[in-house]
Amino acid sequence: MHRTDLIAIGDLAARTGVAVSAIRFYEAKGLVAALRTRGGQRRFLRADIRRVSFILIAQQLGLSLEEIAGELARLPAGRTPNAADWARISGGLQSRIAAQIAALERTQELLGACIGCGCLSLKKCGLYNREDKAAQRGAGPRYVMGDRSGEIAERP
């Protein structure tokens, strides 16, 4: 490994926009691994810029740190991940992203009228969720979660 392949924690923070303390936290959680100089200073692989960037994106998608660690564990240890490595991880996230997009589109569609298990306006509730039929499917904003009012049967 060449010295140019390694960067200081401050450089990693500057390149990713993440605080040094957050990088230390990620290291403690096993999401990135630092090498130590003889003086005990942390050095990271230049490839860790991509790892930290992936962590930020995955957090924005709502993945837990455990899920992120699981995805990062699929990357090779000891070498810089290549395009095929990243494609394997991103392919696994495609269905999650598609589900989030669908939920956002449903929310956008329903936001002005009704949010799932109840309307924004009690006056309209009889139109969209008469007698709270949506509650039969469970808790939460049922229509935003994918249930449609026509799919929910009348209460006996």
Side-chain angles (χ1 to χ4, degrees), residues 32-89:
V32 293
L35 304 170
R36 296 290 183 151
T37 65
R38 287 187 182 145
Q41 295 177 331
R42 288 176 172 89
R43 294 291 184 259
F44 292 87
L45 294 174
R46 192 167 291 283
D48 285 330
I49 294 169
R50 287 192 182 117
R51 286 181 190 264
V52 172
S53 296
F54 174 79
I55 293 166
L56 295 173
I57 292 166
Q59 285 178 316
Q60 294 228 341
L61 289 174
L63 272 71
S64 68
L65 290 179
E66 292 77 24
E67 291 171 308
I68 294 168
E71 292 296 331
L72 288 174
R74 297 171 59 194
L75 292 176
R79 74 165 170 82
T80 300
N82 60 30
D85 298 322
W86 286 111
R88 190 172 50 253
I89 286 180

Side-chain angles (χ1 to χ4, degrees), residues 67-139:
E67 291 171 308
I68 294 168
E71 292 296 331
L72 288 174
R74 297 171 59 194
L75 292 176
R79 74 165 170 82
T80 300
N82 60 30
D85 298 322
W86 286 111
R88 190 172 50 253
I89 286 180
S90 64
L93 296 176
Q94 292 297 324
S95 61
R96 185 178 188 130
I97 293 169
Q100 284 184 305
I101 290 170
L104 287 170
E105 288 173 344
R106 282 191 302 273
T107 302
Q108 183 180 31
E109 173 188 320
L110 297 171
L111 191 58
C114 177
I115 300 229
C117 65
C119 295
L120 295 175
S121 167
L122 292 177
K123 292 178 182 176
K124 289 184 175 181
C125 193
L127 296 173
Y128 293 101
N129 192 16
R130 187 178 306 272
E131 297 176 6
D132 198 21
K133 293 181 292 185
Q136 295 174 23
R137 294 283 178 101

